């Protein structure tokens, strides 16, 4: 009868540790056969030396090993994530630098387009003035408009 109550104590202690709600030990303590024995309030060798508790002992060891594998997998994943985060930060920095260069180039292009338009207008005006002058020279008669609005021909 005593072994049943001890088994129940050990099982309940194991459950409390898995849930993170221990009574006698710290919550952040790893789950091992020794920590389950401490939580249950039984002697240290109970799980290892008593054949009746062997299946619970094996279950605790399996749980411990699976927790260790998950922990190492999480660490590897965290390492991958941190390298991915660094890569993303570098890419964002590169994007920011390229956008600044693009904005600078766009401002230069806008300036050059405006300067080109102004030069084209000046050139057109000069060509128009030159053509007008040539046209007027080519005409034998110059037409002038007087103040009243009448046309007079000069020869």
């Amino acid at each position: 009868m005593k072994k049943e109550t001890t088994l129940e104590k050990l099982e309940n202690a194991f459950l409390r540790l898995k849930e993170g709600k221990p009574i006698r030990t710290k919550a952040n303590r790893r789950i091992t056969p020794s920590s389950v024995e401490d939580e249950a309030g039984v002697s240290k060798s109970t799980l290892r030396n008593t054949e009746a508790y062997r299946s619970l002992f094996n279950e605790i060891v399996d749980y411990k090993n699976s927790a260790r594998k998950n922990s190492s997998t999480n660490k590897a994943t965290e390492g991958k994530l941190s390298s991915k985060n660094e890569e993303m930060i570098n890419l964002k920095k590169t994007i920011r630098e390229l956008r600044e260069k693009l904005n600078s180039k766009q401002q230069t292009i806008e300036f050059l387009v405006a300067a080109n338009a102004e030069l084209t207008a000046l050139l057109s005006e000069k060509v128009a003035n030159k053509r007008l002058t040539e046209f007027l020279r080519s005409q034998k008669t110059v037409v002038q408009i007087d103040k009243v609005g009448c046309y007079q021909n000069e020869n």
Side-chain angles (χ1 to χ4, degrees):
M1 180 109 164
K2 185 174 182 187
K3 289 185 180 187
E4 289 177 4
T5 57
T6 304
L7 181 60
E8 287 176 5
K9 286 180 183 179
L10 290 167
E11 288 173 344
N12 291 335
F14 183 46
L15 287 174
R16 285 194 305 270
L17 288 171
K18 286 197 293 188
E19 292 172 355
K21 300 176 183 177
I23 297 172
R24 294 184 176 103
T25 61
K26 294 181 179 179
N28 60 354
R29 187 172 176 186
R30 289 190 319 168
I31 299 175
T32 61
S34 179
S35 65
V36 172
E37 291 165 342
D38 288 344
E39 179 62 25
V42 297
S43 70
K44 292 274 185 190
S45 60
T46 303
L47 283 170
R48 287 176 193 75
N49 296 334
T50 309
E51 193 60 38
Y53 308 135
R54 182 63 59 194
S55 63
L56 180 59
F57 176 81
N58 291 335
E59 184 180 345
I60 294 168
V61 170
D62 290 342
Y63 183 84
K64 174 184 143 186
N65 291 337
S66 68
R68 182 179 294 154
K69 284 180 185 177
N70 289 339
S71 175
S72 65
T73 303
N74 288 343
K75 287 179 183 177
T77 304
E78 287 174 8
K80 289 178 185 176
L81 287 177
S82 67
S83 68
K84 294 289 183 186
N85 286 340
E86 288 177 21
E87 187 176 333
M88 189 181 339
I89 289 169
N90 290 336
L91 288 173
K92 285 182 177 182
K93 183 179 177 183
T94 304
I95 288 171
R96 191 178 319 114
E97 290 171 356
L98 291 174
R99 280 189 181 146
E100 289 173 2
K101 285 182 181 179
L102 177 64
N103 288 338
S104 173
K105 298 296 182 188
Q106 284 177 335
Q107 288 175 352
T108 304
I109 289 171
E110 289 172 4
F111 172 77
L112 291 173
V113 166
N116 188 29
E118 188 175 337
L119 289 172
T120 303
L122 289 172
L123 185 60
S124 297
E125 186 180 316
K126 185 173 182 180
V127 168
N129 285 341
K130 187 176 182 180
R131 285 186 183 163
L132 180 60
T133 305
E134 288 175 6
F135 175 74
L136 291 174
R137 283 186 190 158
S138 71
Q139 295 298 315
K140 293 181 179 176
T141 1
V142 178
V143 178
Q144 291 183 346
I145 302 175
D146 63 4
K147 294 180 185 175
V148 180
C150 297
Y151 295 102
Q152 297 176 351
N153 287 334
E154 290 184 6
N155 289 333

